[in-house]
Amino acid sequence: MSTPDLPLLQIGRAGQGPADAGSGGGCGDACGCGGGGEPYDADPLECGLDPGLAQLLADAGLDPVQVEDIAHLAIEEDLDQGVDVTTVATVPEGAVAIGDFTARESGTVAGLRVAEAVLSVVCMDEFEVDRHVEEGDRVTVGQKLLSVRARARDLLTGERSALNLMCRLSGIATATRAWADVLDGSTAEVRDTRKTTPGLRALEKYAVRCGGGVNHRMSLCDAALIKDNHVIAAGGVAEAFKAVRAEFPDVPIEVEVDTLDQIPPILAEGADLILLDNFTPEQTREAVELVAGRAVLESSGRLTLDNARAYADAGVDYLAVGALTHSSPILDIGLDLRESDQDNLSDQRDHDTADTTEERV
């Protein structure tokens, strides 16, 4: 049974649809789809989240509706149409508590606002949030990241879902920050790939940005990337390039090469970006001299934190690191529950950062 085509929420940028998307991805810059569908006309700020939180997510390049959907999915998966039996049995229904999200190890945080979205889904009554740090901040062991005052049952029910997302995204941000630190002072930037968790791409690429990295294409329609299998199917690199250019004349084209002699014909065709696959730093330097600024260059394969600077110093523009999103370990963050004292909650604020209190009705 077939279903009618439906407008899709854009991945990576709020409030834009296929016909008017910007650079955030999903029918983004020079998308080849032509924007033939009707724009997605729903206001992403009109969702079930607190308006202030929705605006923060939108300002960060995330779609509040998509984040809310992920939050619902996480909670529904955990409850499985039932209740938190342990919490219901042990925690009085009217008990109110404060939960401190606290770093168990040092790193770079991301996903704090996503965790708030999870709590907004599970909390039955008003809740208050004190934000002690900002997304992308470096934190140390024992540092409080977020304090939430709410019904104790709600905090405990949403604890694991909120932590799963926050720990995952903070792990990606921490790993990215390590690469960004190594490249600091060079002209190269670390860039992610599409090797992301299904359904979490926008969040994981957001975490890369929090860690100081930059995003590659968000979706298959943002840009063309001609790899070895495309070359085989088309009958050659030049043939593949010409086919893409003819079909989608306005789409940026990146071409993967694994030898120096493949570069001149690609330059002649007008490639926008060349991906140097498994080149050594020495071969990379030769490629940079050969291209001489006529195309953007990206290194991929053989990259480690130990040799990243050598590739950067060879003159490439980007280092493509798929491991940022597919292999980064989590950053250990925990939730510490304490008795609620309305008068004391504000005393826990970190006065070095701008604090915001959110109330959900």
Side-chain angles (χ1 to χ4, degrees), residues 15-338:
Q16 308 226 351
D20 62 348
S23 60
C27 293
D29 290 343
C31 173
C33 74
E38 292 298 320
Y40 184 85
D41 58 4
D43 184 349
L45 298 184
E46 292 182 0
C47 60
L49 302 178
D50 174 84
L53 175 58
Q55 188 63 61
L56 287 173
L57 291 168
D59 291 344
L62 293 170
D63 188 328
V65 175
Q66 186 183 31
V67 173
E68 184 184 21
D69 286 346
I70 292 171
H72 274 288
L73 180 62
I75 292 297
E76 289 165 7
E77 180 180 57
D78 230 7
L79 290 178
D80 195 21
Q81 303 182 52
V83 297
D84 179 354
V85 296
T86 311
T87 295
V88 169
T90 60
V91 180
E93 183 175 1
V96 177
I98 296 172
D100 296 314
F101 288 88
T102 305
R104 300 282 192 257
E105 58 183 326
S106 299
T108 298
V109 294
L112 298 170
R113 306 294 86 82
V114 177
E116 288 182 39
V118 172
L119 294 175
S120 74
V121 166
V122 75
C123 282
M124 302 300 294
D125 299 316
E126 291 183 0
F127 69 100
E128 298 176 1
V129 175
D130 264 2
R131 298 164 181 149
H132 305 304
V133 299
E134 296 300 325
E135 301 278 49
D137 280 358
R138 299 176 193 257
V139 298
T140 57
V141 177
Q143 187 170 353
K144 289 181 182 178
L145 314 178
L146 195 69
S147 294
V148 182
R149 181 181 183 275
R151 286 205 324 161
R153 283 188 176 184
D154 295 340
L155 282 173
L156 293 177
T157 297
E159 172 185 6
R160 179 42 53 198
S161 294
L163 285 173
N164 282 347
L165 290 167
M166 192 191 302
C167 292
R168 169 68 176 155
L169 300 183
S170 295
I172 291 172
T174 298
T176 305
R177 178 62 64 190
W179 286 85
D181 286 347
V182 168
L183 299 179
D184 186 40
S186 76
T187 59
E189 296 180 286
V190 62
R191 190 151 80 156
D192 56 27
T193 70
R194 286 174 37 252
K195 297 175 183 177
T196 53
T197 307
L200 296 182
R201 176 171 297 167
L203 297 188
E204 292 179 347
K205 282 180 172 280
Y206 165 69
V208 168
R209 300 196 299 273
C210 287
V214 296
N215 297 146
H216 193 230
R217 56 182 183 166
M218 294 290 292
S219 69
L220 291 170
C221 72
D222 288 341
L225 174 53
I226 299 172
K227 298 174 72 69
D228 52 359
N229 286 332
H230 301 107
V231 171
I232 293 171
V237 176
E239 289 78 6
F241 186 94
K242 291 175 181 177
V244 174
R245 181 62 81 215
E247 186 75 17
F248 303 106
D250 298 324
V251 169
I253 302 178
E254 179 176 359
V255 183
E256 178 186 87
V257 300
D258 50 28
T259 61
L260 285 166
D261 60 12
Q262 291 175 316
I263 294 177
I266 295 304
L267 282 175
E269 293 293 340
D272 301 287
L273 192 151
I274 298 175
L275 178 66
L276 307 175
D277 186 42
N278 284 307
F279 277 45
T280 66
E282 293 74 21
Q283 292 170 327
T284 301
R285 193 176 299 277
E286 291 183 59
V288 170
E289 294 174 355
L290 181 61
V291 172
R294 288 175 288 174
V296 175
L297 290 175
E298 182 170 27
S299 290
S300 177
R302 300 191 182 190
L303 303 178
T304 66
L305 283 173
D306 291 335
N307 65 25
R309 189 62 189 227
Y311 281 93
D313 291 342
V316 295
D317 301 282
Y318 298 111
L319 273 64
V321 182
L324 297 179
T325 52
H326 73 61
S327 296
S328 293
I330 68 164
L331 182 71
D332 191 9
I333 299 170
L335 179 70
D336 300 319
L337 208 65
R338 55 190 168 93

